[in-house]
Amino acid sequence: MSVEKKDNWSSEAYQHSASFVPKLATKIMQWLDPQKDDVILDIGCGDGVLDIDIAKTLSQGKGSLHGIDSSPAMIQAADQAAAKDGLKNCTFEVIDATELVNKPELQQQKFTKAFSNAAMHWILRPEARREVFFRGVGASLAPGGRFAFEMGGLGNVSEIRAALHMAIGRRVGLDRAREVDPWFFPDEAWAKEMLEGTVGGWEVERVEREWRPTVADAGGVEGWVRLMAKQFFEALPEEEREECIKEIVDVLEVICAMPGGGYMFSYVRLRVLARKL
């Protein structure tokens, strides 16, 4: 009997506490450089905010876009957004990105470009699935196709991550806190070695890691912690979770406070543009 995976995402909560994610994707969108006849695969498409803009460019030609995400709630939001704008050239599907290799219909080298924004630090968390993920992306692309992605890089939200590991680790042990940490934040050297060495068949054309201080959304520190760090708290008994969240939020509201009001998170972004050989 199959076990239904828990959906940790809510489109409404995302818009309240992380709406800045697609808004700050300008640079990786420039690297993707969508053209009117491109056939694009968006990996970890979320609620489709970026895809709607891309699809409008593609509608000027014969291009199309297919977005995948493991969250049914996000795919539902993306479908609704496309329908609202009357877009017929973009489709969305619930798929775990590490299972791309098991989707024959997406492994036919038909996409000219693949794209991912702010999703791969979640997708690549299971170490055993990293190589197969990139092989799946490669098999979806036509020869010469490009993969442009942006994800959390080494050092991303380090102040938040430290507070989470301290508070969770004090209650259940650091090893358990590491087990429930849902993120993987690599550096430029890792990305280049994975693509060109371990997997092979790729040429990394551009790579950079940038510190991008990011102002908190309307949800503030608490909204971000409850949404993005939700999986950490699954290590705790339910009766201990609220106390732990409060402890973490109280600390981070001191550390992340901006002199003029509001809060700043220390985002670090890893960007890569790779060409399939």
Side-chain angles (χ1 to χ4, degrees):
M1 183 175 66
S2 63
V3 178
E4 185 175 349
K5 292 181 68 175
K6 182 178 180 181
D7 191 348
N8 289 302
W9 296 101
S10 156
S11 178
E12 293 79 10
Y14 198 84
Q15 287 299 316
H16 184 60
S17 298
S19 68
F20 54 78
V21 173
K23 294 174 185 175
L24 297 177
T26 304
K27 188 173 247 187
I28 196 61
M29 286 291 288
Q30 291 172 346
W31 287 22
L32 177 66
D33 189 25
Q35 300 297 307
K36 61 185 178 66
D37 293 323
D38 276 332
V39 181
I40 298 175
L41 175 65
D42 185 358
I43 301 165
C45 63
D47 58 7
V49 170
L50 284 173
D51 299 311
I52 300 306
D53 287 338
I54 295 172
K56 290 175 181 177
T57 296
L58 301 178
S59 66
Q60 299 171 22
K62 299 178 181 178
S64 62
L65 180 146
H66 187 64
I68 65 171
D69 200 287
S70 63
S71 167
M74 288 297 199
I75 290 298
Q76 182 181 22
D79 279 331
Q80 291 172 347
K84 181 180 178 181
D85 281 21
L87 295 169
K88 305 295 186 182
N89 61 345
C90 56
T91 53
F92 301 97
E93 184 177 7
V94 178
I95 293 178
D96 182 330
T98 64
E99 296 294 328
L100 264 177
V101 291
N102 299 322
K103 298 292 181 180
E105 67 275 17
L106 299 179
Q107 299 288 280
Q108 299 174 5
Q109 304 186 63
K110 67 179 182 179
F111 294 95
T112 61
K113 292 175 181 175
F115 171 63
S116 185
N117 178 58
M120 285 170 54
H121 45 265
W122 306 91
I123 294 168
L124 299 179
R125 177 62 177 89
E127 185 174 358
R129 303 299 292 168
R130 292 170 190 169
E131 183 177 341
V132 75
F133 166 80
F134 285 107
R135 293 194 184 282
V137 177
S140 73
L141 282 170
R146 285 174 168 80
F147 183 23
F149 66 85
E150 178 174 316
M151 61 184 291
L154 184 63
N156 189 52
V157 292
S158 55
E159 73 282 24
I160 301 177
R161 206 174 184 193
L164 286 160
H165 277 266
M166 286 289 288
I168 301 292
R170 183 165 57 80
R171 289 167 169 84
V172 296
L174 190 55
D175 286 344
R176 179 61 177 144
R178 291 175 64 184
E179 286 177 7
V180 295
D181 185 333
W183 305 314
F184 173 60
F185 300 138
D187 61 6
E188 305 95 314
W190 181 90
K192 189 172 177 67
E193 171 56 31
M194 174 58 73
L195 285 159
E196 296 183 346
T198 303
V199 176
W202 295 92
E203 178 189 2
V204 174
E205 296 183 326
R206 300 177 71 178
V207 60
E208 69 178 19
R209 185 161 44 108
E210 176 189 8
W211 179 56
R212 191 199 69 198
T214 301
V215 177
D217 215 330
V221 171
E222 183 175 349
W224 195 102
V225 168
R226 287 184 181 276
L227 175 68
M228 298 294 194
K230 183 178 180 180
Q231 289 166 254
F232 272 97
F233 302 106
E234 293 175 358
L236 303 177
E238 285 195 32
E239 64 270 18
E240 295 182 21
R241 293 177 186 176
E242 288 303 316
E243 178 189 26
C244 185
I245 291 172
K246 184 179 186 305
E247 176 184 326
I248 291 165
V249 170
D250 286 349
V251 169
L252 290 175
E253 286 186 344
V254 173
I255 301 302
C256 300
M258 298 168 62
Y263 303 98
M264 185 275 291
F265 303 139
S266 294
Y267 268 56
V268 176
R269 312 319 284 166
L270 175 66
R271 300 186 188 95
V272 177
L273 179 65
R275 180 174 65 89
K276 179 183 174 179
L277 299 177

